[in-house]
Amino acid sequence: MKHPTRRPGCPRSTLSAAITNHLTQMLLVPMTLLAGTSLAMAQETTNLDRIMVTGSNIPRSSTETASPVQVISRQEIERTGRATIGEYLQTLTSDGAGSIPKSFGTGFAGGGSGISLRGLGAASTLVLLNGRRMAPYGLADDGQKVFTDLSVIPMDAVERVEVLKDGASAIYGSDAIAGVVNIILRRDYTGATVKASYGMSGDSDGNARKGSLTAGVGDLDTDGFNAFVSIDVSKTDDIRISDRRNRKWIGNGDLSPYGFDRVAGGQFFPLNGAITAGGTVAGNSPVGSIRDPATGLYQSLPGCAQFSKISPADAGGGCLWETQDFRSLTPSEEFGNLFARGTFVLSDNFEMYGEFGYSKKKNVFYNTPSGVSGSWGYPGGPVNASSGAGATVLGADHPDNPLGVDARLRYAAFDVGPRVTTNTNEFTRFLVGVKGTAGAWDIDTAYLHSATQLVNERTGFLRYSHVRTALTDPNSPVGWWRIGANAGLNSKELYDYISPTIHANASTTLDMIDFKATRSLADLAGGPLGLALGAEYRRQKANLDPQSYTDIGDIIGLGYSAYKGTQEVAVAYAEMVAPVLETLELTGALRVDKYKDGDTATTPKFGVKWTPADWIALRATYAEGFRAPGPAEAGDGGLAAFSTARDPVRCPGGTPAPGATAADCGVNLAIITAANPNLKPEESKSYTVGLVLDPTPTTTLTLDAWQIKRTNEINQGDTDLALAAGRGIRADNDLPGIPNSGSLLAVSVDYINSASTTIRGFDFDIRQRADLGNYGKLLMDLQWTRINSFERDDGTGTVYQYAGTHGNCDVTNCIGTPKDRVNLGVTWDMDRFSISAIGNYIGSMDNVAFEGDSCANHYADGTDAPRGCELPSFYTIDLSGRWRATDAFEIFGSVQNLTDRVAPLDPLTYGAVNYNPLHFSGAIGRYYTIGAKYTFN
């Protein structure tokens, strides 16, 4: 059992003794039992075969363990035509809500790419490189949870990927609640290979140029060494959403042709600039709309024809514009990745190895021009620039103000230009180690240093205090900010004043020393009894400086995120594999993680595999896990972000109250969250039960049922409770007869341990090989993941069911939780030709936040949207081929989304515009890649 307890910090010697004591007590009974079934230790034992499988520290003769592990070869990755390892892993059926696509450039972790096994979030999936950790990405997911950025891994150096689909904290420690993705790079290489490719969409954009070189020398047996280097470089052009106007709703802000209201059809990105609700509400307009304080109604300033060609014009008199005209569908990206490895024979029994990795990546994401009003937060509290004393107004003396009195302003700063975010990230990794045999023990020990340095630079954002000065003060140091039709009168000095370049710096470091020893203890009836013992010490630091001026709440509409923290942990673990019978194998592992000045986590894992016949095996595992609070959650810092929430006053029960609108049922809300040093680790218990069948020599089938329950979940406090406690801020447009019922703008909460989540489902995998004689061979595989239940208890007794719905939006991006994901692959190899087709299927989802909730969106006539309140299922087919012209020269190509299917309309998600990030290929359209590879032997 896990016993996380709050303990004071202790010296390293005391810490080590405590861990040793803990391990001895926990392992004493099972080791005694196993010893009773073994032969005498002094007898000669059988050496273990050297096959390492993710999820175990003990080499074994079979890759099928008690734990379900999906092994993905280099050929399976290449046949999909995916450009990066991150893009490929996000197509796995076990990936779910909480994965971080590169297209989500407006998120806190923009520029990163992460995988979320079982939909539990990227922070609960441990990503390893050659079995060891990497420093996390510099920006935390949702400003809260650190994760590993997949884009720093060189694609052409990947040998295979192993995905462990059950809990593995007993083997690898924190973060392995949902599973482990172990990306295994080449261990040695001789010769040289050059590779180049070019990609382009069917719309002749998104051009991707990529080149790689892998070269190595030396043979371990004859030369006593091997050293190789692999280099990837790539440059990809961006695609704007407006470039997809030919793809129905993908590139169009006007959703009225599809049944929605023109100015309220999309949850977040409809046509903007309208004046609605009888003139009492106005959107940000390229010419500006001002509110007459005498009547409370908005009116548009003149000059709309200069900026808008949308017809018909807004019925309320506003100036309409499409947000898609500015925003990126996918960012421009440049990167270079390097990986080098050397292995040197020291003696007959020992070798030394070293690895070095370096990656530099830059991506640029465009977003809409900033507005001058809105609400946001910072550590000092919420800022309300829409109403009240802090409202942004057009001053009484401003030359563009026809009213002659201060008037609230709604203005989209077209003259400033789009908001642009540029992320430049450098990643380094250095590893040196020694491995070999000492007596009966196989030993591996190494030192690892890994680090990231990230610069997040932004232009086009507005500084709140300077905007107010330039709009209201006749003595402004840069003069009046002329808006709309008169913006051509402004100086460069004015724009530098109201819209300075801002930036944030982030860094992470990981230093780790580990030691592992394995051996065979005795011969049991089914084979050698294997033991692994290990220890580890690691120190991880993370630091994020706040974006310029956000620490004082002075950047309009931009949330605050900053943190600083260090984790130091000492670890000891033991693992045993006991084939007690020829047909029965038992496995057990125990790990103790002691955090400096923090908790001690003891995590066990047990497994059993029964093979009654050569063609069938039954397996099961039980594992406990944990995730320690990260620096953004428990360190120094805080978060002020935007999320979606239902206003309990203006939208009780999911229906707008009289005088409210549908927007109150999905408010884009500023949530100010404070770090909490008293947080406890998240804990988990996971179970798997599986069946492995080999009915013929060419057929393999696995079926695994699984359940994960995660408790003590770290999340933001309940907004309803915070509002009831007076920690919210509202606009002054109260509903008739209801005081303090204005539009919800912001709320302050803390990070707390509260909710628990239980997920149940199954994985099905079948692989079939067929020999076609003179016509080559056929390889077929199918993976299907089914989520039967995704329940979350919010800590107050209310249980939400997310399986098959658009939730859980608290995880990230509001991607949703489809019950079914299926991948089907067929590869035909004949002589020098190879052709593959991959089908990717994603099941339908109800367009509700949770099961039983009211529909999240509606058509203009009030009926549920999309049709039947359901996002339809979606599939794509990817085709690839290779021709080995000679033994050294190969030509390859691929077509993604072969049938050019359009992503279904999704008006709820905030991870994309009018489509779901899961359906990204359907937003891009058909995409072609062609390339060549030459190998020098």
Side-chain angles (χ1 to χ4, degrees):
M1 297 294 292
K2 184 195 297 184
H3 304 288
T5 55
R6 188 73 181 174
R7 296 182 181 177
C10 55
R12 188 68 45 77
S13 59
T14 307
L15 185 149
S16 300
I19 290 177
T20 304
N21 257 348
H22 218 70
L23 273 173
T24 302
Q25 294 172 16
M26 294 294 288
L27 283 175
L28 183 60
V29 173
M31 287 185 68
T32 302
L33 291 174
L34 285 169
T37 66
S38 66
L39 300 177
M41 293 299 177
Q43 293 181 349
E44 183 179 352
T45 60
T46 303
N47 289 330
L48 296 175
D49 292 334
R50 295 177 179 274
I51 300 176
M52 295 298 298
V53 179
T54 298
S56 176
N57 290 300
I58 299 176
R60 57 184 60 240
S61 59
S62 172
T63 59
E64 290 292 352
T65 68
S67 296
V69 180
Q70 180 181 356
V71 181
I72 304 162
S73 68
R74 168 197 290 271
Q75 290 75 22
E76 289 179 270
I77 298 172
E78 289 179 339
R79 70 181 182 176
T80 64
R82 303 291 171 178
T84 67
I85 195 68
E87 289 180 33
Y88 171 77
L89 290 174
Q90 288 173 355
T91 68
L92 297 181
T93 62
S94 52
D95 183 44
S99 63
I100 303 168
K102 71 175 185 179
S103 59
F104 191 32
T106 59
F108 273 103
S113 175
I115 182 173
S116 169
L117 294 178
R118 308 304 188 198
L120 285 174
S124 290
T125 299
L126 179 61
V127 176
L128 304 175
L129 186 65
N130 289 342
R132 288 182 168 94
R133 292 170 177 259
M134 297 185 290
Y137 190 54
L139 302 176
D141 180 26
D142 277 348
Q144 176 185 357
K145 299 173 182 177
V146 296
F147 68 98
T148 301
D149 180 22
L150 299 169
S151 61
V152 302
I153 298 170
M155 182 80 154
D156 282 349
V158 175
E159 184 67 31
R160 68 185 185 277
V161 176
E162 295 179 352
V163 182
L164 178 67
K165 298 181 180 179
D166 68 351
S169 289
I171 306 297
Y172 298 113
S174 181
D175 311 339
I177 284 178
V180 177
V181 176
N182 188 9
I183 301 169
I184 300 169
L185 307 185
R186 293 177 173 180
R187 299 300 176 97
D188 57 71
Y189 183 81
T190 57
T193 299
V194 292
K195 183 178 176 182
S197 64
Y198 188 85
M200 182 175 65
S201 77
D203 288 277
S204 301
D205 56 12
N207 298 0
R209 312 138 189 98
K210 185 176 181 181
S212 65
L213 167 67
T214 303
V217 295
D219 182 272
L220 283 176
D221 294 330
T222 59
D223 302 319
F225 79 96
N226 176 261
F228 77 93
V229 62
S230 181
I231 302 172
D232 286 358
V233 292
S234 177
K235 182 177 181 180
T236 304
D237 298 338
D238 75 327
I239 300 175
R240 302 293 178 91
I241 294 177
S242 58
D243 295 331
R244 290 298 180 269
R245 294 191 186 279
N246 60 327
R247 297 186 70 76
K248 300 180 179 179
W249 43 79
I250 301 298
N252 295 283
D254 185 358
L255 298 182
S256 59
Y258 312 105
F260 291 91
D261 187 287
R262 294 181 75 221
V263 295
Q267 186 69 30
F268 294 100
F269 300 96
L271 289 175
N272 207 341
I275 296 176
T276 57
T280 60
V281 176
N284 291 323
S285 158
V287 294
S289 294
I290 56 174
R291 179 177 180 268
D292 187 337
T295 64
L297 303 179
Y298 282 92
Q299 65 186 58
S300 179
L301 296 176
C304 184
Q306 179 181 338
F307 300 96
S308 176
K309 306 299 180 185
I310 296 175
S311 179
D314 177 39
C319 185
L320 299 178
W321 61 286
E322 294 190 70
T323 62
Q324 282 86 334
D325 288 343
F326 297 90
R327 181 166 167 150
S328 296
L329 178 63
T330 180
S332 64
E333 189 171 64
E334 300 177 30
F335 70 77
N337 291 332
L338 178 148
F339 175 75
R341 179 181 170 92
T343 308
F344 306 91
V345 175
L346 300 177
S347 68
D348 290 342
N349 295 325
F350 281 92
E351 65 183 33
M352 182 175 69
Y353 59 91
E355 295 177 356
F356 176 74
Y358 175 79
S359 171
K360 185 171 183 178
K361 180 181 65 172
K362 176 182 178 181
N363 59 28
V364 182
F365 195 93
Y366 284 78
N367 200 2
T368 57
S370 177
V372 298
S373 56
S375 60
W376 60 97
Y378 74 110
V383 179
N384 179 11
S386 293
S387 61
T392 301
V393 299
L394 197 63
D397 298 324
H398 194 287
D400 297 327
N401 186 347
L403 299 178
V405 294
D406 288 351
R408 291 182 193 170
L409 177 66
R410 302 290 184 261
Y411 179 58
F414 274 37
D415 54 317
V416 175
R419 288 170 289 177
V420 182
T421 300
T422 301
N423 287 304
T424 303
N425 185 48
E426 290 189 77
F427 168 83
T428 55
R429 179 179 180 270
F430 170 76
L431 173 75
V432 61
V434 175
K435 63 187 300 184
T437 302
W441 292 93
D442 290 332
I443 296 171
D444 189 354
T445 183
Y447 165 71
L448 169 70
H449 173 77
S450 183
T452 65
Q453 293 286 337
L454 184 143
V455 177
N456 176 272
E457 183 179 276
R458 302 182 187 233
T459 60
F461 287 77
L462 299 177
R463 189 169 179 186
Y464 177 50
S465 60
H466 288 191
V467 163
R468 297 182 75 186
T469 297
L471 290 174
T472 61
D473 187 356
N475 298 314
S476 163
V478 290
W480 292 109
W481 177 16
R482 305 298 299 272
I483 63 175
N486 295 316
L489 301 175
N490 295 319
S491 65
K492 180 180 182 301
E493 290 74 20
L494 178 133
Y495 289 120
D496 291 341
Y497 179 72
I498 65 172
S499 182
T501 297
I502 59 176
H503 66 275
N505 295 320
S507 63
T508 65
T509 60
L510 170 66
D511 289 279
M512 184 173 77
I513 300 173
D514 62 36
F515 174 85
K516 178 178 66 177
T518 62
R519 64 164 292 171
S520 297
L521 293 176
D523 281 339
L524 304 183
L529 170 65
L531 171 68
L533 298 175
E536 175 185 309
Y537 171 77
R538 70 177 186 270
R539 180 178 60 202
Q540 183 170 299
K541 296 182 178 180
N543 181 75
L544 172 64
D545 298 329
Q547 194 77 226
S548 307
Y549 309 116
T550 60
D551 56 335
I552 55 175
D554 206 27
I555 298 297
I556 293 176
L558 185 58
Y560 168 89
S561 179
Y563 46 80
K564 182 178 183 179
T566 300
Q567 282 185 343
E568 293 185 64
V569 57
V571 177
Y573 61 85
E575 181 186 356
M576 300 189 79
V577 175
V580 294
L581 301 172
E582 289 187 2
T583 59
L584 182 64
E585 178 184 274
L586 303 178
T587 59
L590 183 69
R591 182 182 180 104
V592 178
D593 291 72
K594 170 59 183 176
Y595 284 79
K596 183 179 180 181
D597 301 325
D599 297 300
T600 297
T602 303
T603 46
K605 181 173 183 177
F606 303 101
V608 58
K609 179 185 173 186
W610 178 45
T611 311
D614 291 342
W615 57 274
I616 184 173
L618 301 174
R619 61 189 182 188
T621 64
Y622 167 77
E624 296 183 12
F626 75 103
R627 184 185 76 83
E633 298 163 322
D636 296 328
L639 171 70
F642 293 92
S643 186
T644 54
R646 176 183 298 160
D647 189 330
V649 175
R650 298 175 68 89
C651 187
T655 302
T661 67
D664 294 306
C665 299
V667 181
N668 196 15
L669 181 68
I671 300 180
I672 306 165
T673 311
N676 181 357
N678 298 316
L679 289 172
K680 294 184 177 181
E682 296 181 340
E683 303 176 20
S684 70
K685 294 181 179 181
S686 63
Y687 310 82
T688 67
V689 178
L691 173 70
V692 181
L693 293 174
D694 294 311
T696 74
T698 60
T699 306
T700 300
L701 182 151
T702 63
L703 177 64
D704 293 283
W706 48 268
Q707 174 180 298
I708 301 173
K709 182 173 183 178
R710 183 174 64 183
T711 57
N712 278 346
E713 289 184 337
I714 301 171
N715 46 60
Q716 295 166 334
D718 186 87
T719 55
D720 289 351
L721 295 178
L723 290 170
R727 301 178 68 183
I729 184 169
R730 293 179 176 275
D732 58 2
N733 57 333
D734 290 348
L735 299 175
I738 305 178
N740 194 30
S741 61
S743 297
L744 187 58
L745 300 174
V747 64
S748 297
V749 295
D750 297 320
Y751 285 123
I752 59 173
N753 292 105
S754 61
S756 64
T757 296
T758 304
I759 313 174
R760 291 187 294 273
F762 66 79
D763 296 320
F764 177 76
D765 189 318
I766 183 170
R767 296 173 183 269
Q768 176 68 54
R769 305 185 307 278
D771 189 347
L772 304 180
N774 293 332
Y775 297 98
K777 59 184 179 181
L778 197 65
L779 305 175
M780 295 170 286
D781 61 274
L782 180 144
Q783 296 84 40
W784 172 26
T785 295
R786 168 80 176 185
I787 296 179
N788 292 323
S789 178
F790 192 128
E791 290 185 337
R792 186 184 189 207
D793 186 327
D794 68 357
T796 64
T798 303
V799 178
Y800 300 96
Q801 174 62 258
Y802 294 116
T805 74
H806 217 310
N808 176 6
C809 290
D810 290 338
V811 176
T812 190
N813 296 353
C814 212
I815 286 177
T817 309
K819 288 186 176 181
D820 297 291
R821 292 192 68 170
V822 181
N823 292 341
L824 172 64
V826 179
T827 299
W828 177 37
D829 284 321
M830 189 179 72
D831 195 17
R832 293 186 176 275
F833 293 91
S834 176
I835 298 176
S836 296
I838 311 295
N840 306 285
Y841 172 85
I842 299 171
S844 62
M845 296 183 286
D846 292 336
N847 191 32
V848 295
F850 51 86
E851 187 177 276
D853 193 30
S854 58
C855 194
N857 301 99
H858 299 85
Y859 291 115
D861 62 5
T863 58
D864 292 346
R867 302 292 179 190
C869 198
E870 180 183 76
L871 268 66
S873 60
F874 180 70
Y875 73 88
T876 58
I877 297 174
D878 301 330
L879 186 68
S880 66
R882 296 179 177 272
W883 173 47
R884 295 177 293 278
T886 69
D887 290 343
F889 183 62
E890 178 181 288
I891 297 174
F892 58 89
S894 66
V895 184
Q896 294 181 42
N897 194 1
L898 178 67
T899 58
D900 201 26
R901 289 182 60 83
V902 177
L905 173 60
D906 184 349
L908 177 60
T909 183
Y910 59 89
V913 181
N914 293 342
Y915 73 92
N916 194 290
L918 290 173
H919 308 148
F920 176 69
S921 292
I924 295 294
R926 194 179 288 120
Y927 194 90
Y928 305 90
T929 301
I930 189 168
K933 180 172 73 172
Y934 190 86
T935 301
F936 302 87
N937 292 318

